[in-house]
Amino acid sequence: MAEFVRRDDHEPPDRIPAGLLYVPVRSGPVGCATRLFRTPLGGRTAVGFTTQLRLTDTLGAEQAWIRISEPVLRALTEPLGATTLTVDPQLAAPATTRTSRASLWREWDPQTIGVLRVTGAVALVDAVSMWIG
């Protein structure tokens, strides 16, 4: 009797070792630390690339990396809550920059800030005038 295989089976396949991966890292207090990313649903994931070119195409040439095996990457990141491993992701959001609120005000043109204050005051006076009648 022939064995029947269901195509609608939603069980994930067995994990196949990916071999050595190019893993993005950031500098830390005692060396380098693997970077963790978020999946589209918000879960934490470790990321590895099969070639250096794929890493630089996705994360940029400035991204530091190390070369480690897939089992080692999983062992390093699972205690941190990254239970999945994404190999060769296609898209990555640009890095955010931290900007303090004070530096944002310094970058604005003083005349623009004055216009916003005057416009806000006029809108407030107009609103009170309409309310009073």
Side-chain angles (χ1 to χ4, degrees):
M1 183 171 210
E3 187 174 321
F4 179 65
V5 177
R6 293 182 58 187
R7 295 289 174 207
D8 61 345
D9 189 11
H10 295 290
E11 279 295 312
D14 291 335
R15 295 193 298 200
I16 300 171
L20 285 178
L21 296 171
Y22 294 86
V23 177
V25 295
R26 59 180 172 74
S27 60
V30 291
C32 63
T34 57
R35 285 186 58 190
L36 296 180
F37 294 83
R38 296 274 179 191
T39 65
L41 297 177
R44 296 178 93 182
T45 183
V47 172
F49 294 87
T50 54
T51 66
Q52 184 182 357
L53 180 61
R54 288 184 179 179
L55 181 137
T56 56
D57 283 349
T58 305
L59 299 176
E62 303 84 33
Q63 176 61 57
W65 54 268
I66 59 171
R67 213 141 174 229
I68 57 176
S69 69
E70 177 261 340
V72 170
L73 179 58
R74 285 185 189 276
L76 286 172
T77 57
E78 281 180 357
L80 302 173
T83 57
T84 60
L85 170 62
T86 305
V87 178
D88 291 328
Q90 297 297 311
L91 299 174
T96 59
T97 58
R98 292 185 181 199
T99 307
S100 69
R101 205 176 183 119
S103 69
L104 284 176
W105 284 108
R106 277 187 252 124
E107 293 174 7
W108 281 38
D109 180 21
Q111 290 180 336
T112 305
I113 294 172
V115 169
L116 291 175
R117 288 182 183 160
V118 171
T119 305
V122 170
L124 180 62
V125 170
D126 285 345
V128 171
S129 298
M130 286 177 48
W131 182 63
I132 292 175

mmCIF file with all atom_site columns, all heavy atoms in Angstrom, residues 9-29:
data_model
loop_
_atom_site.group_PDB
_atom_site.id
_atom_site.type_symbol
_atom_site.label_atom_id
_atom_site.label_alt_id
_atom_site.label_comp_id
_atom_site.label_asym_id
_atom_site.label_entity_id
_atom_site.label_seq_id
_atom_site.pdbx_PDB_ins_code
_atom_site.Cartn_x
_atom_site.Cartn_y
_atom_site.Cartn_z
_atom_site.occupancy
_atom_site.B_iso_or_equiv
_atom_site.pdbx_formal_charge
_atom_site.auth_seq_id
_atom_site.auth_comp_id
_atom_site.auth_asym_id
_atom_site.auth_atom_id
_atom_site.pdbx_PDB_model_num
ATOM 1   N N   . ASP A 1 9  ? -0.751 19.714 5.931  1.00 0.00 ? 9  ASP A N   1
ATOM 2   C CA  . ASP A 1 9  ? -0.163 19.522 7.247  1.00 0.00 ? 9  ASP A CA  1
ATOM 3   C C   . ASP A 1 9  ? 0.587  20.799 7.638  1.00 0.00 ? 9  ASP A C   1
ATOM 4   O O   . ASP A 1 9  ? 1.467  21.262 6.923  1.00 0.00 ? 9  ASP A O   1
ATOM 5   C CB  . ASP A 1 9  ? 0.787  18.330 7.209  1.00 0.00 ? 9  ASP A CB  1
ATOM 6   C CG  . ASP A 1 9  ? 1.271  17.940 8.594  1.00 0.00 ? 9  ASP A CG  1
ATOM 7   O OD1 . ASP A 1 9  ? 0.717  18.463 9.580  1.00 0.00 ? 9  ASP A OD1 1
ATOM 8   O OD2 . ASP A 1 9  ? 2.181  17.109 8.674  1.00 0.00 ? 9  ASP A OD2 1
ATOM 9   N N   . HIS A 1 10 ? 0.246  21.382 8.786  1.00 0.00 ? 10 HIS A N   1
ATOM 10  C CA  . HIS A 1 10 ? 0.835  22.649 9.201  1.00 0.00 ? 10 HIS A CA  1
ATOM 11  C C   . HIS A 1 10 ? 1.974  22.484 10.190 1.00 0.00 ? 10 HIS A C   1
ATOM 12  O O   . HIS A 1 10 ? 2.421  23.446 10.782 1.00 0.00 ? 10 HIS A O   1
ATOM 13  C CB  . HIS A 1 10 ? -0.246 23.554 9.801  1.00 0.00 ? 10 HIS A CB  1
ATOM 14  C CG  . HIS A 1 10 ? -1.273 23.942 8.800  1.00 0.00 ? 10 HIS A CG  1
ATOM 15  N ND1 . HIS A 1 10 ? -1.012 24.801 7.763  1.00 0.00 ? 10 HIS A ND1 1
ATOM 16  C CD2 . HIS A 1 10 ? -2.565 23.570 8.662  1.00 0.00 ? 10 HIS A CD2 1
ATOM 17  C CE1 . HIS A 1 10 ? -2.096 24.953 7.031  1.00 0.00 ? 10 HIS A CE1 1
ATOM 18  N NE2 . HIS A 1 10 ? -3.051 24.222 7.559  1.00 0.00 ? 10 HIS A NE2 1
ATOM 19  N N   . GLU A 1 11 ? 2.444  21.299 10.403 1.00 0.00 ? 11 GLU A N   1
ATOM 20  C CA  . GLU A 1 11 ? 3.582  21.077 11.283 1.00 0.00 ? 11 GLU A CA  1
ATOM 21  C C   . GLU A 1 11 ? 4.841  21.621 10.628 1.00 0.00 ? 11 GLU A C   1
ATOM 22  O O   . GLU A 1 11 ? 5.083  21.407 9.442  1.00 0.00 ? 11 GLU A O   1
ATOM 23  C CB  . GLU A 1 11 ? 3.776  19.577 11.555 1.00 0.00 ? 11 GLU A CB  1
ATOM 24  C CG  . GLU A 1 11 ? 2.870  19.036 12.613 1.00 0.00 ? 11 GLU A CG  1
ATOM 25  C CD  . GLU A 1 11 ? 3.149  19.648 13.977 1.00 0.00 ? 11 GLU A CD  1
ATOM 26  O OE1 . GLU A 1 11 ? 4.320  19.715 14.388 1.00 0.00 ? 11 GLU A OE1 1
ATOM 27  O OE2 . GLU A 1 11 ? 2.195  20.084 14.608 1.00 0.00 ? 11 GLU A OE2 1
ATOM 28  N N   . PRO A 1 12 ? 5.678  22.353 11.377 1.00 0.00 ? 12 PRO A N   1
ATOM 29  C CA  . PRO A 1 12 ? 6.915  22.848 10.766 1.00 0.00 ? 12 PRO A CA  1
ATOM 30  C C   . PRO A 1 12 ? 7.869  21.695 10.486 1.00 0.00 ? 12 PRO A C   1
ATOM 31  O O   . PRO A 1 12 ? 7.878  20.704 11.210 1.00 0.00 ? 12 PRO A O   1
ATOM 32  C CB  . PRO A 1 12 ? 7.485  23.785 11.834 1.00 0.00 ? 12 PRO A CB  1
ATOM 33  C CG  . PRO A 1 12 ? 6.861  23.351 13.105 1.00 0.00 ? 12 PRO A CG  1
ATOM 34  C CD  . PRO A 1 12 ? 5.527  22.746 12.760 1.00 0.00 ? 12 PRO A CD  1
ATOM 35  N N   . PRO A 1 13 ? 8.646  21.823 9.446  1.00 0.00 ? 13 PRO A N   1
ATOM 36  C CA  . PRO A 1 13 ? 9.612  20.766 9.138  1.00 0.00 ? 13 PRO A CA  1
ATOM 37  C C   . PRO A 1 13 ? 10.713 20.741 10.190 1.00 0.00 ? 13 PRO A C   1
ATOM 38  O O   . PRO A 1 13 ? 10.899 21.683 10.951 1.00 0.00 ? 13 PRO A O   1
ATOM 39  C CB  . PRO A 1 13 ? 10.161 21.169 7.770  1.00 0.00 ? 13 PRO A CB  1
ATOM 40  C CG  . PRO A 1 13 ? 9.953  22.637 7.698  1.00 0.00 ? 13 PRO A CG  1
ATOM 41  C CD  . PRO A 1 13 ? 8.712  22.929 8.509  1.00 0.00 ? 13 PRO A CD  1
ATOM 42  N N   . ASP A 1 14 ? 11.444 19.653 10.225 1.00 0.00 ? 14 ASP A N   1
ATOM 43  C CA  . ASP A 1 14 ? 12.577 19.558 11.144 1.00 0.00 ? 14 ASP A CA  1
ATOM 44  C C   . ASP A 1 14 ? 13.591 20.636 10.812 1.00 0.00 ? 14 ASP A C   1
ATOM 45  O O   . ASP A 1 14 ? 13.787 20.999 9.650  1.00 0.00 ? 14 ASP A O   1
ATOM 46  C CB  . ASP A 1 14 ? 13.247 18.181 11.035 1.00 0.00 ? 14 ASP A CB  1
ATOM 47  C CG  . ASP A 1 14 ? 12.353 17.084 11.592 1.00 0.00 ? 14 ASP A CG  1
ATOM 48  O OD1 . ASP A 1 14 ? 11.495 17.396 12.441 1.00 0.00 ? 14 ASP A OD1 1
ATOM 49  O OD2 . ASP A 1 14 ? 12.528 15.928 11.159 1.00 0.00 ? 14 ASP A OD2 1
ATOM 50  N N   . ARG A 1 15 ? 14.243 21.162 11.845 1.00 0.00 ? 15 ARG A N   1
ATOM 51  C CA  . ARG A 1 15 ? 15.251 22.186 11.622 1.00 0.00 ? 15 ARG A CA  1
ATOM 52  C C   . ARG A 1 15 ? 16.462 21.564 10.946 1.00 0.00 ? 15 ARG A C   1
ATOM 53  O O   . ARG A 1 15 ? 17.005 20.564 11.399 1.00 0.00 ? 15 ARG A O   1
ATOM 54  C CB  . ARG A 1 15 ? 15.663 22.820 12.939 1.00 0.00 ? 15 ARG A CB  1
ATOM 55  C CG  . ARG A 1 15 ? 14.546 23.572 13.591 1.00 0.00 ? 15 ARG A CG  1
ATOM 56  C CD  . ARG A 1 15 ? 15.028 24.444 14.704 1.00 0.00 ? 15 ARG A CD  1
ATOM 57  N NE  . ARG A 1 15 ? 15.646 23.710 15.788 1.00 0.00 ? 15 ARG A NE  1
ATOM 58  C CZ  . ARG A 1 15 ? 15.791 24.181 17.005 1.00 0.00 ? 15 ARG A CZ  1
ATOM 59  N NH1 . ARG A 1 15 ? 15.353 25.360 17.309 1.00 0.00 ? 15 ARG A NH1 1
ATOM 60  N NH2 . ARG A 1 15 ? 16.382 23.464 17.938 1.00 0.00 ? 15 ARG A NH2 1
ATOM 61  N N   . ILE A 1 16 ? 16.861 22.183 9.861  1.00 0.00 ? 16 ILE A N   1
ATOM 62  C CA  . ILE A 1 16 ? 18.039 21.728 9.125  1.00 0.00 ? 16 ILE A CA  1
ATOM 63  C C   . ILE A 1 16 ? 19.168 22.684 9.464  1.00 0.00 ? 16 ILE A C   1
ATOM 64  O O   . ILE A 1 16 ? 19.007 23.899 9.340  1.00 0.00 ? 16 ILE A O   1
ATOM 65  C CB  . ILE A 1 16 ? 17.770 21.716 7.602  1.00 0.00 ? 16 ILE A CB  1
ATOM 66  C CG1 . ILE A 1 16 ? 16.618 20.784 7.297  1.00 0.00 ? 16 ILE A CG1 1
ATOM 67  C CG2 . ILE A 1 16 ? 19.021 21.329 6.839  1.00 0.00 ? 16 ILE A CG2 1
ATOM 68  C CD1 . ILE A 1 16 ? 16.121 20.857 5.883  1.00 0.00 ? 16 ILE A CD1 1
ATOM 69  N N   . PRO A 1 17 ? 20.299 22.196 9.926  1.00 0.00 ? 17 PRO A N   1
ATOM 70  C CA  . PRO A 1 17 ? 21.392 23.109 10.272 1.00 0.00 ? 17 PRO A CA  1
ATOM 71  C C   . PRO A 1 17 ? 21.795 23.964 9.089  1.00 0.00 ? 17 PRO A C   1
ATOM 72  O O   . PRO A 1 17 ? 21.912 23.494 7.959  1.00 0.00 ? 17 PRO A O   1
ATOM 73  C CB  . PRO A 1 17 ? 22.527 22.174 10.686 1.00 0.00 ? 17 PRO A CB  1
ATOM 74  C CG  . PRO A 1 17 ? 21.875 20.876 11.024 1.00 0.00 ? 17 PRO A CG  1
ATOM 75  C CD  . PRO A 1 17 ? 20.633 20.801 10.172 1.00 0.00 ? 17 PRO A CD  1
ATOM 76  N N   . ALA A 1 18 ? 21.976 25.248 9.349  1.00 0.00 ? 18 ALA A N   1
ATOM 77  C CA  . ALA A 1 18 ? 22.325 26.186 8.284  1.00 0.00 ? 18 ALA A CA  1
ATOM 78  C C   . ALA A 1 18 ? 23.828 26.302 8.092  1.00 0.00 ? 18 ALA A C   1
ATOM 79  O O   . ALA A 1 18 ? 24.278 26.954 7.169  1.00 0.00 ? 18 ALA A O   1
ATOM 80  C CB  . ALA A 1 18 ? 21.734 27.559 8.601  1.00 0.00 ? 18 ALA A CB  1
ATOM 81  N N   . GLY A 1 19 ? 24.620 25.697 8.954  1.00 0.00 ? 19 GLY A N   1
ATOM 82  C CA  . GLY A 1 19 ? 26.068 25.806 8.836  1.00 0.00 ? 19 GLY A CA  1
ATOM 83  C C   . GLY A 1 19 ? 26.571 27.109 9.423  1.00 0.00 ? 19 GLY A C   1
ATOM 84  O O   . GLY A 1 19 ? 25.927 27.711 10.274 1.00 0.00 ? 19 GLY A O   1
ATOM 85  N N   . LEU A 1 20 ? 27.735 27.564 8.975  1.00 0.00 ? 20 LEU A N   1
ATOM 86  C CA  . LEU A 1 20 ? 28.282 28.829 9.466  1.00 0.00 ? 20 LEU A CA  1
ATOM 87  C C   . LEU A 1 20 ? 27.501 29.996 8.880  1.00 0.00 ? 20 LEU A C   1
ATOM 88  O O   . LEU A 1 20 ? 27.213 30.031 7.684  1.00 0.00 ? 20 LEU A O   1
ATOM 89  C CB  . LEU A 1 20 ? 29.751 28.959 9.091  1.00 0.00 ? 20 LEU A CB  1
ATOM 90  C CG  . LEU A 1 20 ? 30.722 28.100 9.900  1.00 0.00 ? 20 LEU A CG  1
ATOM 91  C CD1 . LEU A 1 20 ? 32.144 28.294 9.398  1.00 0.00 ? 20 LEU A CD1 1
ATOM 92  C CD2 . LEU A 1 20 ? 30.645 28.434 11.374 1.00 0.00 ? 20 LEU A CD2 1
ATOM 93  N N   . LEU A 1 21 ? 27.173 30.951 9.747  1.00 0.00 ? 21 LEU A N   1
ATOM 94  C CA  . LEU A 1 21 ? 26.386 32.103 9.337  1.00 0.00 ? 21 LEU A CA  1
ATOM 95  C C   . LEU A 1 21 ? 27.158 33.388 9.638  1.00 0.00 ? 21 LEU A C   1
ATOM 96  O O   . LEU A 1 21 ? 27.974 33.438 10.552 1.00 0.00 ? 21 LEU A O   1
ATOM 97  C CB  . LEU A 1 21 ? 25.057 32.141 10.097 1.00 0.00 ? 21 LEU A CB  1
ATOM 98  C CG  . LEU A 1 21 ? 24.097 30.995 9.836  1.00 0.00 ? 21 LEU A CG  1
ATOM 99  C CD1 . LEU A 1 21 ? 22.937 31.063 10.818 1.00 0.00 ? 21 LEU A CD1 1
ATOM 100 C CD2 . LEU A 1 21 ? 23.592 31.047 8.406  1.00 0.00 ? 21 LEU A CD2 1
ATOM 101 N N   . TYR A 1 22 ? 26.878 34.416 8.862  1.00 0.00 ? 22 TYR A N   1
ATOM 102 C CA  . TYR A 1 22 ? 27.363 35.752 9.137  1.00 0.00 ? 22 TYR A CA  1
ATOM 103 C C   . TYR A 1 22 ? 26.306 36.414 10.011 1.00 0.00 ? 22 TYR A C   1
ATOM 104 O O   . TYR A 1 22 ? 25.187 36.655 9.579  1.00 0.00 ? 22 TYR A O   1
ATOM 105 C CB  . TYR A 1 22 ? 27.555 36.540 7.835  1.00 0.00 ? 22 TYR A CB  1
ATOM 106 C CG  . TYR A 1 22 ? 28.655 35.981 6.972  1.00 0.00 ? 22 TYR A CG  1
ATOM 107 C CD1 . TYR A 1 22 ? 28.397 34.943 6.074  1.00 0.00 ? 22 TYR A CD1 1
ATOM 108 C CD2 . TYR A 1 22 ? 29.945 36.484 7.039  1.00 0.00 ? 22 TYR A CD2 1
ATOM 109 C CE1 . TYR A 1 22 ? 29.406 34.426 5.279  1.00 0.00 ? 22 TYR A CE1 1
ATOM 110 C CE2 . TYR A 1 22 ? 30.955 35.970 6.245  1.00 0.00 ? 22 TYR A CE2 1
ATOM 111 C CZ  . TYR A 1 22 ? 30.669 34.939 5.368  1.00 0.00 ? 22 TYR A CZ  1
ATOM 112 O OH  . TYR A 1 22 ? 31.663 34.425 4.590  1.00 0.00 ? 22 TYR A OH  1
ATOM 113 N N   . VAL A 1 23 ? 26.661 36.689 11.265 1.00 0.00 ? 23 VAL A N   1
ATOM 114 C CA  . VAL A 1 23 ? 25.694 37.158 12.255 1.00 0.00 ? 23 VAL A CA  1
ATOM 115 C C   . VAL A 1 23 ? 26.005 38.608 12.612 1.00 0.00 ? 23 VAL A C   1
ATOM 116 O O   . VAL A 1 23 ? 27.128 38.925 13.013 1.00 0.00 ? 23 VAL A O   1
ATOM 117 C CB  . VAL A 1 23 ? 25.745 36.267 13.516 1.00 0.00 ? 23 VAL A CB  1
ATOM 118 C CG1 . VAL A 1 23 ? 24.797 36.775 14.580 1.00 0.00 ? 23 VAL A CG1 1
ATOM 119 C CG2 . VAL A 1 23 ? 25.435 34.823 13.151 1.00 0.00 ? 23 VAL A CG2 1
ATOM 120 N N   . PRO A 1 24 ? 25.014 39.504 12.472 1.00 0.00 ? 24 PRO A N   1
ATOM 121 C CA  . PRO A 1 24 ? 25.247 40.907 12.837 1.00 0.00 ? 24 PRO A CA  1
ATOM 122 C C   . PRO A 1 24 ? 25.440 41.052 14.342 1.00 0.00 ? 24 PRO A C   1
ATOM 123 O O   . PRO A 1 24 ? 24.741 40.409 15.129 1.00 0.00 ? 24 PRO A O   1
ATOM 124 C CB  . PRO A 1 24 ? 23.979 41.620 12.371 1.00 0.00 ? 24 PRO A CB  1
ATOM 125 C CG  . PRO A 1 24 ? 22.971 40.569 12.142 1.00 0.00 ? 24 PRO A CG  1
ATOM 126 C CD  . PRO A 1 24 ? 23.684 39.279 11.942 1.00 0.00 ? 24 PRO A CD  1
ATOM 127 N N   . VAL A 1 25 ? 26.415 41.878 14.713 1.00 0.00 ? 25 VAL A N   1
ATOM 128 C CA  . VAL A 1 25 ? 26.722 42.107 16.128 1.00 0.00 ? 25 VAL A CA  1
ATOM 129 C C   . VAL A 1 25 ? 26.838 43.608 16.371 1.00 0.00 ? 25 VAL A C   1
ATOM 130 O O   . VAL A 1 25 ? 26.969 44.401 15.446 1.00 0.00 ? 25 VAL A O   1
ATOM 131 C CB  . VAL A 1 25 ? 28.028 41.401 16.558 1.00 0.00 ? 25 VAL A CB  1
ATOM 132 C CG1 . VAL A 1 25 ? 27.903 39.907 16.480 1.00 0.00 ? 25 VAL A CG1 1
ATOM 133 C CG2 . VAL A 1 25 ? 29.215 41.885 15.741 1.00 0.00 ? 25 VAL A CG2 1
ATOM 134 N N   . ARG A 1 26 ? 26.777 43.953 17.648 1.00 0.00 ? 26 ARG A N   1
ATOM 135 C CA  . ARG A 1 26 ? 27.028 45.330 18.075 1.00 0.00 ? 26 ARG A CA  1
ATOM 136 C C   . ARG A 1 26 ? 28.061 45.272 19.192 1.00 0.00 ? 26 ARG A C   1
ATOM 137 O O   . ARG A 1 26 ? 28.198 44.254 19.862 1.00 0.00 ? 26 ARG A O   1
ATOM 138 C CB  . ARG A 1 26 ? 25.755 46.011 18.547 1.00 0.00 ? 26 ARG A CB  1
ATOM 139 C CG  . ARG A 1 26 ? 25.093 45.313 19.699 1.00 0.00 ? 26 ARG A CG  1
ATOM 140 C CD  . ARG A 1 26 ? 23.824 46.042 20.134 1.00 0.00 ? 26 ARG A CD  1
ATOM 141 N NE  . ARG A 1 26 ? 23.099 45.266 21.111 1.00 0.00 ? 26 ARG A NE  1
ATOM 142 C CZ  . ARG A 1 26 ? 23.446 45.114 22.374 1.00 0.00 ? 26 ARG A CZ  1
ATOM 143 N NH1 . ARG A 1 26 ? 24.524 45.695 22.822 1.00 0.00 ? 26 ARG A NH1 1
ATOM 144 N NH2 . ARG A 1 26 ? 22.730 44.387 23.206 1.00 0.00 ? 26 ARG A NH2 1
ATOM 145 N N   . SER A 1 27 ? 28.779 46.368 19.372 1.00 0.00 ? 27 SER A N   1
ATOM 146 C CA  . SER A 1 27 ? 29.787 46.368 20.430 1.00 0.00 ? 27 SER A CA  1
ATOM 147 C C   . SER A 1 27 ? 29.099 46.508 21.773 1.00 0.00 ? 27 SER A C   1
ATOM 148 O O   . SER A 1 27 ? 28.110 47.213 21.913 1.00 0.00 ? 27 SER A O   1
ATOM 149 C CB  . SER A 1 27 ? 30.796 47.485 20.215 1.00 0.00 ? 27 SER A CB  1
ATOM 150 O OG  . SER A 1 27 ? 30.134 48.728 20.219 1.00 0.00 ? 27 SER A OG  1
ATOM 151 N N   . GLY A 1 28 ? 29.626 45.782 22.735 1.00 0.00 ? 28 GLY A N   1
ATOM 152 C CA  . GLY A 1 28 ? 29.077 45.794 24.080 1.00 0.00 ? 28 GLY A CA  1
ATOM 153 C C   . GLY A 1 28 ? 30.154 46.068 25.096 1.00 0.00 ? 28 GLY A C   1
ATOM 154 O O   . GLY A 1 28 ? 31.318 46.293 24.753 1.00 0.00 ? 28 GLY A O   1
ATOM 155 N N   . PRO A 1 29 ? 29.810 46.029 26.377 1.00 0.00 ? 29 PRO A N   1
ATOM 156 C CA  . PRO A 1 29 ? 30.785 46.355 27.419 1.00 0.00 ? 29 PRO A CA  1
ATOM 157 C C   . PRO A 1 29 ? 31.932 45.348 27.533 1.00 0.00 ? 29 PRO A C   1
ATOM 158 O O   . PRO A 1 29 ? 33.006 45.696 27.998 1.00 0.00 ? 29 PRO A O   1
ATOM 159 C CB  . PRO A 1 29 ? 29.955 46.394 28.699 1.00 0.00 ? 29 PRO A CB  1
ATOM 160 C CG  . PRO A 1 29 ? 28.687 45.685 28.393 1.00 0.00 ? 29 PRO A CG  1
ATOM 161 C CD  . PRO A 1 29 ? 28.489 45.767 26.918 1.00 0.00 ? 29 PRO A CD  1
#
